[in-house]
């Protein structure tokens, strides 16, 4: 694999939703820094592609099926990863569901609301619950969840945004519980990132770049770098925080600046 700092030699890392996009980039980042990576996803074949790419680059990875909507599936994936690697040091909660809003709020169906919250928020809860004993045993455990600027400000998507906001709260409360047990819990909140979620719906992600003070949308590797930092000993005295990784979107109102020029 390309030479880079190896902060995770001897670590085992489990990542949900790691078949593509931010999850795959994060898996590759951890592997480049020396970690053994459990690549998990709902699709039984998709995570193997990411794991194979890691192995082709000289890293160590195993692929596991994990449906974060199922307690049994989550517990099986965590147990399999811990058995395969002999330990588990880091959990990255990346799996999510994001459904389009109904035209009118009052027309939102219950099942859409329930699915987005169950996969995005309760899925992270299930994974954290299953992984926590292993993370405690490691003596250097860390949980990093992938939130969103949608959980901080209004960018649409009622259910998805509510779920991401819930992750911010879960990060704080779990940090308070897990800190005395030696486990840190943090969250990154990405802005617009160039992932298959955009290309699959035929959208041009770059149409929003002028809203970003840094003049571009994010790349999956931008988020992966922040996740690796928060999981590493470089962040040994950081827990319970939400770190925006958003090119300045939530700090600077570029739309207003353009309007008043």
């Amino acid at each position: 694999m390309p030479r880079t700092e190896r902060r995770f030699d001897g670590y085992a890392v489990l990542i949900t939703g790691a078949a593509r996009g931010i999850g795959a980039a994060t898996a590759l980042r951890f592997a480049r820094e020396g970690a053994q990576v459990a690549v998990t996803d709902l699709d039984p074949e998709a995570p193997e592609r990411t794991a194979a790419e890691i192995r082709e680059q000289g890293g160590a990875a195993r692929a596991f099926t994990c449906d974060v909507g199922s307690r049994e599936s989550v517990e099986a994936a965590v147990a399999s990863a811990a058995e395969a690697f002999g330990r588990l040091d880091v959990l990255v909660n990346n799996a999510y569901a994001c459904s389009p809003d109904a035209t009118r709020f009052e027309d939102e169906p219950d099942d859409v609301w329930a699915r987005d919250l169950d996969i995005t928020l309760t899925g992270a809860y299930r994974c954290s619950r299953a992984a926590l004993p292993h993370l405690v045993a490691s003596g250097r455990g860390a949980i990093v969840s992938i939130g969103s600027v949608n959980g901080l400000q209004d960018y649409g998507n009622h259910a998805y945004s509510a779920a991401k906001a819930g992750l911010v709260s879960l990060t704080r409360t779990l940090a308070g519980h897990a800190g005395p047990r030696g486990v840190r819990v943090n969250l990154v909140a990405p802005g617009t990132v160039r992932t298959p979620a955009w290309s699959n719906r035929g959208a041009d992600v770059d149409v929003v770049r002028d809203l970003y003070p840094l003049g571009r949308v994010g790349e999956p590797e931008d988020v992966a770098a922040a996740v690796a930092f928060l999981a590493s000993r470089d962040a040994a005295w950081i827990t319970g925080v939400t770190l925006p990784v958003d090119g300045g979107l939530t700090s600077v109102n570029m739309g207003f600046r353009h309007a008043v020029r």
Side-chain angles (χ1 to χ4, degrees):
M1 305 193 80
R3 294 186 64 183
T4 188
E5 184 180 3
R6 295 177 67 89
R7 293 177 292 184
F8 298 104
D9 279 331
Y11 277 65
V13 179
L14 187 148
I15 305 170
T16 65
R20 58 188 64 83
I22 290 171
T26 301
L28 287 160
R29 177 63 185 247
F30 275 107
R32 289 189 184 108
E33 293 204 36
Q36 302 176 96
V37 183
V39 181
T40 78
D41 206 278
L42 178 61
D43 183 337
E45 297 181 2
E48 178 54 36
R49 291 193 289 269
T50 302
E53 183 177 356
I54 289 172
R55 293 192 295 267
E56 287 168 4
Q57 295 183 24
R62 295 278 299 274
F64 300 97
T65 301
C66 182
D67 175 4
V68 301
S70 162
R71 179 172 185 169
E72 292 75 17
S73 180
V74 165
E75 291 180 349
V78 169
S80 295
E83 181 179 4
F85 299 139
R87 60 185 303 121
L88 188 62
D89 302 281
V90 177
L91 167 68
V92 180
N93 289 311
N94 174 66
Y96 73 96
C98 180
S99 304
D101 286 338
T103 302
R104 300 188 307 170
F105 182 80
E106 58 266 36
D107 295 330
E108 290 281 339
D110 283 2
D111 59 342
V112 170
W113 176 272
R115 178 177 181 271
D116 280 15
L117 265 70
D118 184 58
I119 300 302
T120 306
L121 176 57
T122 309
Y125 157 74
R126 292 185 184 102
C127 293
S128 299
R129 178 178 59 191
L132 191 57
H134 300 284
L135 302 178
V136 170
S138 84
R140 57 189 182 190
I143 297 172
V144 184
S145 295
I146 309 300
S148 172
V149 294
N150 284 58
L152 308 177
Q153 295 182 7
D154 170 33
Y155 299 101
N157 295 108
H158 302 299
Y160 171 80
S161 298
K164 292 296 191 180
L167 276 178
V168 173
S169 179
L170 178 61
T171 295
R172 289 193 297 262
T173 58
L174 187 52
H177 171 81
R181 303 172 70 186
V183 177
R184 297 179 301 104
V185 186
N186 293 294
L187 178 142
V188 298
T192 307
V193 178
R194 193 186 313 278
T195 68
W198 283 85
S199 58
N200 289 346
R201 63 189 187 190
D204 179 4
V205 68
D206 287 310
V207 299
V208 298
R209 66 185 177 190
D210 288 343
L211 299 176
Y212 286 84
L214 293 182
R216 67 174 177 88
V217 300
E219 302 294 339
E221 292 76 16
D222 294 319
V223 182
V227 173
F229 164 68
L230 288 173
S232 77
R233 299 305 297 172
D234 289 338
W237 210 41
I238 300 175
T239 196
V241 307
T242 291
L243 174 64
V245 183
D246 66 355
L249 179 68
T250 55
S251 298
V252 181
N253 189 331
M254 294 300 288
F256 180 83
R257 283 173 171 262
H258 291 317
V260 299
R261 281 178 183 169

